[in-house]
Each structure stands twice: as structure tokens, then as C-alpha cells.
Amino acid sequence: MASAMMPPDGGEPLAGLGPFAPDGNWGRQAKDYLLRAREILCQQHLAGASGHDIVRGYTGVMDHLVRALFEAATAAYASRYAMLTQRCVVVAQGGYGRGELNPGSDIDLLFLHPHKSEPYVETVAEKMLYTLWDTGLTVGQATRNVSECVRLAASDLKVKTALLDARFICGDQALYAQFAQTMEAQVLKRNAERFYKDKLAENAERHQRYGDSVYVLEPQIKEGEGGLRDLHTAMWLAKVKYKTNEVSELVHKGVITERERAELEAARDFLWRVRNALHFLSGQHQDQLTFEYQERIAAEFGYADTRELKGVERFMRDYYLQAAAVNRFASEIIERCTGRARVSALIGRYTGREIRPGVRITGGEISVGDPALFREQPAELIRVFFDTQRHDVKLSHATRRHLRAHADLIDDTVRADPAVAEAFLQILGWKYGVYETLYEMHWLGVLGALLPEFGALLCLAQHDVYHIYTVDQHSLMGVRELERLREGHYKTSVPLLTEVMREVDQVEVLFLGMLFHDSGKGKGGGHSEKGASMMPGIAARLRLNADAAAQLEFLVRHHLTMTHLAQRRDIRDEKLVVDFAKTVGNAGNLKKLFLLTFADMKAVGPKVWSSWQDMLLSELYLNALGVLEKGEFVPSDQQERVARIRRRVAAALEPAQRERAAPFLADMPDRYFLQTPEEDIPRHLTLVGHLREEPLVTAVRHFPEREFSEFTVITADQPGLFARIAGVLAAHGMNIVGANISTSDSGVALDVFRVSHLERAEMAQDDERWERIQVTLGQVIAGTVDVEQLVAKSRRPSSIKKKFVPRVGTDVRVDNEVSADYTVLDVYAQDRVGLLFTITNSLFHLGLSIDLAKITTNVDQVLDVFYVSESGRKIVDPARLAEIRGQLVERLEADAQAAA
């Protein structure tokens, strides 16, 4: 039935391989034969052979082997038994039937016989299968007659699908011809609608299982969206609809254009070549394009680093472009097979509603019958998308094809057309469907043509483990998150953000900020500044007024600012809040930045946003809003503020408690009162009272709704206490996300650690584990247990293979501007067990005191921030700062090598 890529019959399948002639130990000979064939093909692959050449070559090798085994098995049978009317056909199915074997592909065979299975068929099949299994191949097989094939195809979707790819290999050609005719008459033409429905449901389920996007981090090259299976699905439907599974035949039948055929075949060849590389490198059937293989294949294919992009990012950009082409082609073929585009197009000439000359709504679709409209009025290339929003309809298939074909009409003249700007801003300002419309525009090449600064982000890969999507898709996903916020999807989990989104004005500027926030990526470092520099030109083209243009530039320039401050700085430091408010300038900017920050984080990946992030950003937002609403940027008197807090806490206590509390309230430093919620202070007062009976007092509180637990430690201060606590927590598997450290004038340490619940909520709320932590911490503080040995023991290598992630470097940056009293150290490093202990222990040995810590882990990389002092003072000597940075980097790199 299938003829795609039919290898030549007989002869030598590969130069230098020679024919296969089994004698003696067939299994060993066949294994050696395939090993040699793969070596030759691998050499050709490394020399630059196309994906098609390797796939065709390996299919030819397998055909030659199967035919030789069939002939040898038949001869062996004939030497012992009389051969009269015995008939058998060996049929290739699945990928083998399509002639699309990659080096690690499975082999699927059908042994076809006329009526009942005979000893001849059984003997030949058994001899062939055992030989193929001995080679290490995964071989699927079935033995049936023609009637059984018809019956099973009617009831089993997988059987029918496999038979659509059936291809004659060897045996009785007349029997195969009968089989092919019967399949054509009794399988292909029956239950077509049910077949379409079942395959589409299977397709949707597969996409969801493998990430539901072409642009996932580590794509599945066969089963994922944009993978080879998308093409297979389209061609199965085309086989039923158009009676061909040849791409070239679809051109002849007018189903696709010659340009589409060329694009598809180039994309398919690229995916084949990548899959060949995966199979050769792994030595097995490996279809997951993981980080490890991305880097190795990029190097193998000659993708070198440039000043703007890593070689692996350039390779993955090409991969996503080609996968998107496959997905687009498959979607269009599927729609043509299952839809009523042609009927609608014909009816639409005479029926439907014309909304303006040349544009009609017919059957729930916008239709442009004559593409000359786009050539005569290029603004229609944009306006037609607003029509879909305004009327809540879709574009017809023919109109989508015309839009893609005419997107290159959008040049500088069209971009400068006020009508074009107006139409695009209408899309952004509409009350629903902004994401879906922008996505369709991007899919058809119109958005990138209209906004070339966004078009430059097309399929731009980010080679890290926390950005799930390419830059363009991430930006569009951010728009989707903003719309979901406006629609109330998150009104329970983030009520403040939902309220702000619903009250914000000029939402089109916010959506533009989201689209362009990463526009500087791919141009080297400092993408925020580089992106911001593009905004005045974009704003001018879109006819934004001066205030809107300034706001757009602000959003792009500062889109990382709130994240940076909330995760890495002391957001209760009044100087920081005032400085941030000065940077923001007005409440409108603050509100949009708050929303943009949420959407940016939410669109990175499912594990980046958490209630912890919400709490930090909301606190920063409300603090800054309070400053802006006062209309002045003058910090209040900090000492007077602390005095007010002391008075309020004392007034809330019972008279007897108030007397006991007086020394504590007087003894604790100002910073304690500024960074501790007032409702927690009486509880701390009670815990400190227990120090009279115990040298160490601890308490644990769990906040599952905020996804963290709080561990309070009170004891006599000692050098390196923070490092000791961090080491004990690390040794017991706890993930610290923040710490507030306070020491009273009389030398009592009151340290509060926040431990994340993410991916380990059960562990973090296990009371028995916390009891063990308290015992161990007491031993460490008493000096009976060495914390360094404790952490080293917890780092014992696991027998479980670690998942490969891109390596990140170690860096330490010094910020002496953000705080008046402390030097701030930003530490970047590869995540590993006990890293926080290594950092804090190193700071202890460097003679530094840690006064505040903020801990962030982005899957593979940690960004830990420490407010430190030396002898109670901020470090200002440049030489000393350089020494601290150098020694800390040296110790961290040594630790990374030891952990590797």
C-alpha cells in the first residue's frame, strides 16, 4: 500500500557493506552485519549526510537483511519438506513500512498468508524472528491472512494505522496485490469519520502528554508536538482522504503547494538528521532531545558560539523552526482532511455576511475570498485579525494561507501606516482574545513582519532548565497570563494582583511591555537596556503618546527590577523602598510593573511562581505604593518608628508580661523590630524566656498555604552560628529560602529560617524530622558533632544517575550601594547539596558576620544574597572586598569540583 522512499530491490544496500548470505549462526552473522552497516552509516552521518540519506540507507540495509533471511528460511524449509502451493508475504509496517528507519528504530513485520497458517509460514516467520531478535532489534510481528487484517482493522485503531503504512518486502507478489486491493476497498473507505475522530483524540492526548507545545525545554522529537508523529498523523489522514501518503502526490492533487512541499521536506529531513544523531550518540532508541544531547549534537553539526548566542542555542532555534513547520503543515493537512474548507469557500461567495468589501463572515469564519485585497490594502493583513476578535470567529483555512503568503508585504511603509497602528492597538485593547489573536498572527508570520523587533525572537532558545519556552513563546505566554488574571482565573490565589489588573488603565501598553520585555535577548548581555533602547522607535511607529511611550520604555528597562529586589534585597529596608519608588516614579508605572513581573515569572515555567513569590512582590508593591501616595520621597525617622513598635508591643502585653518584656524590648537591635512582624514579637519573647532552663530553644511553624515552614532558633551567639544551622538543615534535606538574623546587645541570637515546601512539603512538615534536627543542632552547637563532617556525610554519592543540566558558573558580586549599613554579596553557583553551608561556612572563616540572607534556587542555579559586615561595620576597603570575593569564588569552585 505504501511506496514512500521504497529502497531498491536486491543488490548491495550500502557501499562497502556487501550482501548478507546467512550460513551457520544466522543470529551472530546478522548482528555483525547490522553493526557494520551502522558504522558505515554513522561515518556518512558525521560527514554531513542528510537525514533522508541515512534513513533511506538503513531502510535499504534492513530490506536486504529481511529478504536474505526470507530466502534462506524458505530454502531451509524446502530442503526438508515439499514446496507445493505454500504462499507467504513479508510486509513492513509502521516506520519500517514508510521507509523511515533511523538507526535505533523498531522493526514491525506482518507475515501474510492466504487462508489458514501453514507450517511453512510458521517455520519461516520463526526462523526470521529469532534471528532478528538475536541482533538486539526490537521487532513487532503479526501473522495473519487478508480477512483477519480486514476484521482487526475495523475494530482496532492501531492495526488500521499500521496497515496504512504497509509495504511489500518479499514473498508472493500476487498475494500482496490481493491484500492491497482489499485494503483499498474494505479498510480505507470505511468509517473514515470515525478514524479521523479517533486519530485526532489520540493526537491531542499525545500532545498533552509531551508538553502541549513545540517549544518545550527538552522536546520529544518523535511524539512531541512538532515531532515526526505529527507528520505521520497528517499523512494517515491524507491516505484515507486522498488515497496517498506521498507528499509529492499531495502537490499533484492540489492539496498543498510546491512551496509547502519544499518547506515540509526540509523540516522533515532536519528532524530525521537530529533523530539519527540521537540514535548514534546514545546507541539506542532515544527520542528525547535532552540538554546533554542538545549540546553534543550542536557541536557535531558545527554550531559554534557567537558573541550573541551559544552554539547550542543556535541549534535549538533551528530545531524549533523546523518542528514548527512540521506542526503547521500537519495542522493544515488535518484540517483539510476533516474540515469543510472548500465547501465553505464555495458557499461563502454567495452567502454569509460581508462586514466590509472583500471580507465576509461565513459559517463562523472570517473569509477573504480574493488575496488581491491584501496587495491593494496591506492594512487588511492586520485588520482581519481584529475582525476575529470583535466577532468572536476564526479565520478560514484559505484566509490563513493567504495571510502567510502575503506577510512579506508588510514593509517599513506599511508599518508606518496610521491605519495599521490603529488596527494593532485595537487588538491589544480588546476585552478578550488578545493572546489567541497574537498567537495566530505570530503563527502566520504577520506579527514578526509587523514588529520585526519581536520577529527577531522567533524560536530563540534559552538553554537553561527554568525557561520552559523559547523567548517568543514565553512572551506570548506572559500575555496569556495577564489575560487570565483579568478574567479572574487567579482571583483566589492572587487577589491583589487580580484587583490591580482589573483596575489598570491603558492595558495595551502593558501587553506591549510583555511582548517586548525580552526583545534585547539574542543581542549579547544587558538585554533589558538593549530592549529599552528599541522602544522609542516602536512607540513612534504605533503612534503612542509621549506618556505611553515613556511607560513602555520604563517597563522594558525595569522588567527585572521587582524580581531582583523582592528575591535578593531587604524589602523592609526603608531606604530601598524609597529608592525603588523614585525609580518607578508614579503609581501607574508601579501597577503595570507589578503585573508584568507576575506574568513574566508565571510564563517561565510551572514551578517558578509560588505563594512565597507572591508574598514578597506584594509586600514590595504595597510598601512602594504607600511611599508614592504620600507624594514625597523622604524616609521616616527610623529610630522613632522602632520606638513606636516597641510601645505598641508593650501595650498589647499583660502587665506582668510587660515587666518581663522590658529587658528584651530594650536589648534587641532596631533591625529586629523593622524586619519582624509585630504579631511574632510576643512569641519570640516567650521563647527567649526558656533560655533560663535550656541552652538552645527552637520552634517550628508550618504555613502550607504559603508553601513554607518557619524554624526559629534562639541560643547564645557564637561565631559561625548561621553556617552551623544551615549545615544541620542541609544535612536533613531542608531547602532554606530565607533567613532573618538578630543578635541582642547581651549576646542572644534569634534567627528565623524559612524552609520551602516546594517538592518536599511532606518532609518539611514532618515533626519527627524536626525533632532530629533540634537534637543534631544541639550537638553541633555544643561541639560534640562536627558540622563539616555532617554535611560531607549527607553528600555521599547516590547510585541514581543525576539528570544532566547545563553547567552554570560560579560568580560573586558586591553591592555597596543598596544598604547604608551592610555590604551585600550576591553569590551565583550551581545548585548542589550543602551549598548554602559551604557559602556561610566560608563567610565565617573570612571573618564576616551575616545579618540577613535571601536564598533563591532556579532549578539548576542558586542565587544567594547575604547582607554582611565586618567588626560591626560595612566593608568599604576595595582591596578587602576583592580579597573576600576572590577567596569565596575559590572555595566555591573547589567545592563544585569535589561535588562533581
Side-chain angles (χ1 to χ4, degrees):
M1 293 173 67
S3 59
M5 297 184 59
M6 181 76 78
D9 289 337
E12 194 174 289
L14 278 181
L17 180 60
F20 177 73
D23 60 358
N25 188 332
W26 291 15
R28 180 183 55 77
Q29 288 179 291
K31 186 174 184 178
D32 291 343
Y33 175 80
L34 287 180
L35 182 62
R36 175 60 184 151
R38 290 192 185 105
E39 288 175 350
I40 293 171
L41 289 168
C42 186
Q43 291 169 4
Q44 294 178 359
H45 167 76
L46 293 174
S50 69
H52 172 276
D53 288 344
I54 301 302
V55 165
R56 181 180 177 86
Y58 188 52
T59 302
V61 166
M62 196 58 61
D63 281 358
H64 185 81
L65 175 62
V66 169
R67 291 187 186 112
L69 289 174
F70 177 79
E71 291 168 5
T74 298
Y77 181 87
S79 69
R80 300 180 61 188
Y81 309 101
M83 291 287 293
L84 299 173
T85 60
Q86 294 93 332
R87 302 168 70 195
C88 179
V89 181
V90 181
V91 180
Q93 301 185 111
Y96 185 25
R98 292 188 300 272
E100 298 177 1
L101 288 184
N102 299 94
S105 294
D106 302 341
I107 308 299
D108 193 3
L109 296 176
L110 169 65
F111 294 92
L112 194 65
H113 55 88
H115 303 292
K116 292 183 179 181
S117 182
E118 301 173 343
Y120 162 64
V121 177
E122 294 171 357
T123 302
V124 169
E126 183 179 276
K127 185 68 174 174
M128 292 178 65
L129 288 171
Y130 275 109
T131 301
L132 293 171
W133 286 330
D134 285 345
T135 67
L137 288 169
T138 300
V139 184
Q141 57 84 27
T143 303
R144 305 188 191 108
N145 61 30
V146 175
S147 297
E148 288 170 335
C149 289
V150 172
R151 178 174 55 81
L152 286 171
S155 61
D156 191 318
L157 180 66
K158 290 185 178 179
V159 171
K160 181 172 182 176
T161 303
L163 290 173
L164 291 177
D165 292 322
R167 178 171 63 88
F168 174 82
I169 301 296
C170 53
D172 191 301
Q173 294 191 3
L175 178 57
Y176 182 79
Q178 177 193 345
F179 163 76
Q181 290 169 3
T182 304
M183 291 299 104
E184 183 82 20
Q186 299 187 36
V187 175
L188 284 183
K189 294 181 179 180
R190 290 189 178 180
N191 297 320
E193 293 301 322
R194 177 188 164 194
F195 179 73
Y196 296 155
K197 181 180 177 181
D198 289 346
K199 291 310 292 185
L200 292 180
E202 180 185 79
N203 206 46
E205 190 277 331
R206 175 174 52 82
H207 283 172
Q208 187 173 18
R209 187 166 69 250
Y210 289 100
D212 213 17
S213 174
V214 171
Y215 309 97
V216 294
L217 200 66
E218 296 179 306
Q220 225 281 356
I221 197 169
K222 181 181 178 184
E223 302 290 350
E225 190 164 346
L228 292 164
R229 188 64 82 203
D230 276 5
L231 179 57
H232 302 159
T233 300
M235 298 310 292
W236 289 326
L237 269 60
K239 178 71 174 179
V240 173
K241 177 77 172 180
Y242 301 110
K243 307 302 181 286
T244 183
N245 58 359
E246 286 276 13
V247 177
S248 58
E249 278 296 309
L250 293 178
V251 177
H252 296 152
K253 291 175 180 284
V255 180
I256 63 173
T257 66
E258 179 62 28
R259 175 182 174 181
E260 288 173 323
R261 180 202 64 78
E263 289 178 354
L264 170 67
E265 292 188 346
R268 179 175 62 179
D269 190 80
F270 184 89
L271 295 189
W272 274 341
R273 188 161 184 244
V274 173
R275 194 176 189 221
N276 291 335
L278 275 170
H279 288 190
F280 281 131
L281 286 169
S282 66
Q284 60 185 347
H285 188 142
Q286 164 70 24
D287 289 334
Q288 192 83 28
L289 190 52
T290 61
F291 284 121
E292 177 182 7
Y293 289 114
Q294 288 173 22
E295 293 188 353
R296 294 171 69 182
I297 293 172
E300 183 180 284
F301 285 12
Y303 286 87
D305 291 351
T306 65
R307 188 170 62 180
E308 292 81 17
L309 294 173
K310 299 176 184 176
V312 67
E313 291 171 336
R314 296 176 57 223
F315 162 65
M316 288 306 296
R317 183 175 206 170
D318 283 351
Y319 169 82
Y320 291 125
L321 286 168
Q322 303 300 347
V326 166
N327 183 247
R328 182 173 61 249
F329 171 87
S331 299
E332 291 175 357
I333 290 294
I334 289 170
E335 182 175 328
R336 283 175 233 186
C337 288
T338 59
R340 302 181 60 190
R342 291 190 175 187
V343 174
S344 296
L346 291 172
I347 295 175
R349 295 180 183 180
Y350 310 105
T351 63
R353 174 165 62 95
E354 187 172 68
I355 57 176
R356 63 177 174 279
V359 184
R360 306 185 72 85
I361 297 179
T362 306
E365 293 182 337
I366 290 284
S367 178
V368 175
D370 187 352
L373 175 69
F374 296 136
R375 294 190 290 272
E376 295 165 4
Q377 302 178 51
E380 288 294 335
L381 289 163
I382 312 302
R383 192 176 290 126
V384 74
F385 288 100
F386 181 55
D387 293 334
T388 66
Q389 274 182 302
R390 187 164 46 120
H391 298 285
D392 196 19
V393 293
K394 296 181 179 181
L395 292 167
S396 72
H397 168 73
T399 303
R400 288 209 304 268
R401 177 185 274 187
H402 295 329
L403 284 163
R404 175 170 288 282
H406 291 81
D408 57 1
L409 291 175
I410 302 176
D411 56 13
D412 287 344
T413 301
V414 174
R415 295 183 195 108
D417 185 346
V420 168
E422 180 185 7
F424 184 61
L425 291 176
Q426 284 178 321
I427 290 170
L428 295 179
W430 193 243
K431 54 191 174 185
Y432 56 79
V434 178
Y435 163 74
E436 288 82 1
T437 306
L438 292 177
Y439 185 87
E440 182 90 273
M441 292 177 73
H442 188 49
W443 179 259
L444 296 173
V446 174
L447 186 61
L450 175 65
L451 305 171
E453 299 87 351
F454 184 79
L457 306 178
L458 177 65
C459 294
L460 181 61
Q462 303 180 80
H463 193 59
D464 57 52
V465 298
Y466 43 92
H467 280 96
I468 300 298
Y469 304 106
T470 53
V471 178
D472 55 333
Q473 294 301 313
H474 161 73
S475 301
L476 289 169
M477 291 288 189
V479 172
R480 184 181 69 176
E481 293 301 332
L482 289 170
E483 280 206 290
R484 286 179 171 177
L485 200 60
R486 181 168 64 177
E487 292 163 2
H489 284 256
Y490 305 124
K491 61 184 178 182
T492 301
S493 58
V494 287
L496 176 61
L497 279 156
T498 301
E499 178 187 345
V500 173
M501 182 66 199
R502 288 176 169 178
E503 69 183 23
V504 75
D505 62 352
Q506 288 189 295
V507 71
E508 62 273 16
V509 177
L510 176 60
F511 286 135
L512 281 173
M514 193 72 246
L515 273 183
F516 288 115
H517 76 288
D518 277 346
S519 56
K521 286 192 172 178
K523 301 180 183 300
H527 77 275
S528 298
E529 292 295 326
K530 290 180 178 178
S533 68
M534 303 178 197
M535 294 307 105
I538 293 170
R541 290 203 309 270
L542 294 177
R543 302 294 200 276
L544 299 183
N545 62 44
D547 290 334
Q551 191 170 73
L552 175 60
E553 184 176 349
F554 163 82
L555 290 173
V556 175
R557 188 181 308 278
H558 291 286
H559 73 273
L560 296 175
T561 299
M562 283 193 81
T563 306
H564 168 85
L565 294 177
Q567 292 186 344
R568 298 161 56 183
R569 295 294 180 259
D570 182 4
I571 56 176
R572 290 175 181 154
D573 183 329
E574 200 158 8
K575 176 181 181 300
L576 177 141
V577 175
V578 169
D579 288 345
F580 173 57
K582 287 180 180 178
T583 298
V584 170
N586 59 68
N589 282 350
L590 177 63
K591 290 178 179 181
K592 287 190 175 68
L593 186 61
F594 183 37
L595 295 166
L596 181 67
T597 303
F598 162 79
D600 188 15
M601 297 178 73
K602 191 79 171 172
V604 166
K607 297 179 181 178
V608 173
W609 180 262
S610 66
S611 59
W612 171 251
Q613 306 289 355
D614 178 36
M615 182 178 66
L616 292 175
L617 286 168
S618 296
E619 184 174 353
L620 177 59
Y621 166 78
L622 292 171
N623 288 345
L625 185 63
V627 173
L628 290 167
E629 287 176 345
K630 291 176 184 176
E632 57 183 14
F633 300 116
V634 180
S636 62
D637 187 323
Q638 181 170 296
Q639 290 185 336
E640 179 54 33
R641 183 181 171 198
V642 170
R644 289 197 301 270
I645 294 172
R646 285 190 170 108
R647 287 196 296 270
R648 285 197 297 269
V649 170
L653 297 173
E654 295 294 331
Q657 287 180 304
R658 197 175 304 149
E659 185 176 344
R660 291 197 304 271
F664 173 83
L665 295 175
D667 210 23
M668 294 302 289
D670 289 355
R671 184 177 184 82
Y672 168 78
F673 295 99
L674 294 172
Q675 69 186 13
T676 303
E678 286 186 36
E679 62 270 19
D680 287 353
I681 296 176
R683 189 175 59 86
H684 291 168
L685 171 63
T686 301
L687 291 173
V688 168
H690 294 313
L691 277 182
R692 300 186 188 94
E693 298 90 32
E694 306 170 42
L696 170 67
V697 177
T698 67
V700 178
R701 291 195 301 170
H702 304 299
F703 299 91
E705 74 285 357
R706 294 158 76 182
E707 299 177 329
F708 69 82
S709 292
E710 191 176 82
F711 181 50
T712 303
V713 178
I714 301 175
T715 189
D717 192 28
Q718 59 179 259
L721 179 61
F722 185 104
R724 289 176 171 85
I725 301 171
V728 170
L729 290 173
H732 286 80
M734 297 300 184
N735 179 25
I736 301 171
V737 293
N740 287 330
I741 302 118
S742 304
T743 304
S744 71
D745 291 344
S746 58
V748 173
L750 197 165
D751 298 344
V752 180
F753 292 79
R754 283 183 172 170
V755 173
S756 173
H757 286 185
L758 293 180
E759 297 183 347
R760 56 186 73 189
E762 186 175 340
M763 177 191 296
Q765 297 178 86
D766 181 357
D767 291 337
E768 291 185 2
R769 183 178 291 267
W770 283 108
E771 288 174 8
R772 293 196 297 272
I773 288 172
Q774 181 178 15
V775 170
T776 305
L777 182 58
Q779 294 168 337
V780 167
I781 290 175
T784 58
V785 171
D786 186 287
V787 70
E788 295 184 2
Q789 293 180 8
L790 183 70
V791 173
K793 184 178 179 182
S794 71
R795 282 179 163 179
R796 284 181 301 189
S798 170
S799 59
I800 301 173
K801 183 179 178 182
K802 293 181 180 179
K803 177 178 172 62
F804 177 89
V805 294
R807 303 301 299 176
V808 294
T810 299
D811 191 17
V812 176
R813 300 175 189 174
V814 178
D815 184 345
N816 246 352
E817 301 298 324
V818 72
S819 174
D821 302 314
Y822 301 98
T823 293
V824 179
L825 299 178
D826 294 323
V827 181
Y828 301 79
Q830 186 83 31
D831 191 23
R832 52 190 177 271
V833 175
L835 175 63
L836 180 60
F837 169 72
T838 300
I839 298 170
T840 55
N841 198 40
S842 298
L843 294 175
F844 161 61
H845 287 295
L846 284 165
L848 304 181
S849 296
I850 301 170
D851 296 274
L852 175 69
K854 304 201 81 170
I855 316 300
T856 305
T857 302
N858 287 326
V859 185
D860 63 326
Q861 182 187 61
V862 299
L863 198 174
D864 293 349
V865 179
F866 302 92
Y867 281 60
V868 301
S869 60
E870 188 171 36
S871 302
R873 295 188 180 131
K874 183 175 182 178
I875 308 156
V876 295
D877 180 12
R880 177 58 176 152
L881 289 172
E883 178 189 8
I884 291 169
R885 182 189 177 281
Q887 288 193 32
L888 187 52
V889 168
E890 182 180 339
R891 292 179 187 183
L892 287 172
E893 288 181 343
D895 180 72
Q897 291 178 359

